[in-house]
Amino acid sequence: FGSSMTRRWFRRPGGFLCLCHENLEDWVGEAIVTSTNRRLEGSMRRNWWGFAGKRSADVALHERAGPQLLAECHKLRAELPEAQVMVTRGGDLGARYVIHTVIPSHPSGRDPRPMPAPQAGDVATADEAEALLRQAFANALGACRDLKVSSVCLPAMGCGCRGYPVEVAAEIGVQALKEAPVPYCEVRFWETLTFRKWVQLTEDRLEGCEEGDVRDALWNGKSLEDWHKEQEARRKPGCPVM
């Protein structure tokens, strides 16, 4: 699971929350949530306006999953409206499902230079952006409930390319995850300051716990990766579980 310097665990009603300083695309479990763009462009983005020097977890996810993930997206939808969700298979990822959602850029993180006309349609006010982020969390977790998954990993939505104030995005995210209908939720961060701010806010909202508490309660003392692989093996007919 990793050290307590890069992972923090918390109890919440109905389950656990883990905050983890690792890459989203490396996660192994049942479902991954990704914040994509409404044109479902995967790693071939036409609009990188204002994103120079920033990392997109969605692009990294598509690069790891392989071209079949983008192909399945395009079979289902041409565009995905903001805050709505779409579910695909995981491709070459360690997750069975990918839950795609879309949020707009927050004005506080927007490039101050005049925006090219083709990108002007992606503009939202601060209130609109925050309401859509809240709805995106709710719809993504609702999809988890419908899929009946027991584990899900999310990025710190809004805290990367979309430029939300970290405190605002964290408050929205922690509130949504506190009541999530999934026994185990994990949020992954690639940037240290964002990880620390989420930890600080979560410490004020939830009771901390230890790695062993999570393993014993959910996975018979195993790691999530080992438990998930065992469950996947059981689903394959004729495949013995070691």
Side-chain angles (χ1 to χ4, degrees):
F1 247 24
S3 73
S4 60
M5 297 297 293
T6 58
R7 286 179 175 268
R8 294 293 302 276
W9 299 271
F10 300 89
R11 296 183 186 275
R12 57 180 185 78
F16 299 89
L17 171 64
C18 178
L19 306 181
C20 175
H21 195 328
E22 294 182 23
N23 291 330
L24 181 71
E25 64 272 19
D26 295 333
W27 192 73
V28 176
E30 289 188 85
I32 290 179
V33 174
T34 183
S35 173
T36 186
N37 71 341
R38 60 188 176 89
R39 300 176 188 88
L40 300 169
E41 292 171 318
S43 59
M44 304 299 293
R45 300 294 174 91
R46 290 174 288 173
N47 176 12
W48 283 104
W49 182 256
F51 289 174
K54 300 179 182 178
R55 182 183 189 274
S56 168
D58 185 58
V59 168
L61 199 73
H62 275 272
E63 289 175 346
R64 174 67 62 84
Q68 62 267 36
L69 181 60
L70 186 60
E72 186 173 353
C73 287
H74 289 167
K75 283 182 182 179
L76 296 173
R77 303 287 289 265
E79 288 196 0
L80 185 62
E82 289 167 343
Q84 291 192 20
V85 299
M86 178 180 70
V87 180
T88 65
R89 291 166 294 183
D92 290 336
L93 298 169
R96 198 183 324 155
Y97 304 109
V98 178
I99 301 169
H100 309 257
T101 191
V102 176
I103 58 173
S105 294
H106 194 283
S108 69
R110 192 169 293 141
D111 193 308
R113 294 172 294 172
M115 184 174 290
Q119 281 77 56
D122 293 334
V123 173
T125 67
D127 287 345
E128 289 169 341
E130 290 160 23
L132 286 165
L133 178 61
R134 193 173 289 108
Q135 191 61 49
F137 268 106
N139 288 343
L141 294 170
C144 291
R145 179 192 59 237
D146 296 342
L147 292 167
K148 296 181 171 59
V149 298
S150 61
S151 61
V152 62
C153 186
L154 308 90
M157 291 200 297
C159 295
C161 291
R162 295 303 176 185
Y164 286 65
V166 174
E167 294 83 358
V168 170
E171 182 68 47
I172 292 170
V174 172
Q175 186 59 41
L177 292 164
K178 182 178 178 181
E179 304 295 337
V182 186
Y184 181 76
C185 298
E186 184 166 307
V187 181
R188 290 206 163 189
F189 307 81
W190 68 273
E191 199 273 322
T192 302
L193 291 179
T194 302
F195 170 69
R196 289 175 178 170
K197 284 185 178 292
W198 270 70
V199 168
Q200 290 171 359
L201 188 145
T202 307
E203 286 176 333
D204 292 337
R205 305 291 192 278
L206 298 173
E207 174 192 356
C209 64
E210 299 298 327
E211 172 187 358
D213 299 327
V214 183
R215 290 190 180 201
D216 292 343
L218 299 180
W219 309 311
N220 298 324
K222 299 180 176 68
S223 69
L224 171 58
E225 183 172 349
D226 289 344
W227 184 85
H228 177 70
K229 288 178 179 178
E230 182 179 287
Q231 299 307 304
E232 288 297 292
R234 290 181 185 278
R235 290 188 181 93
K236 297 177 182 179
C239 182
V241 177
M242 303 302 293

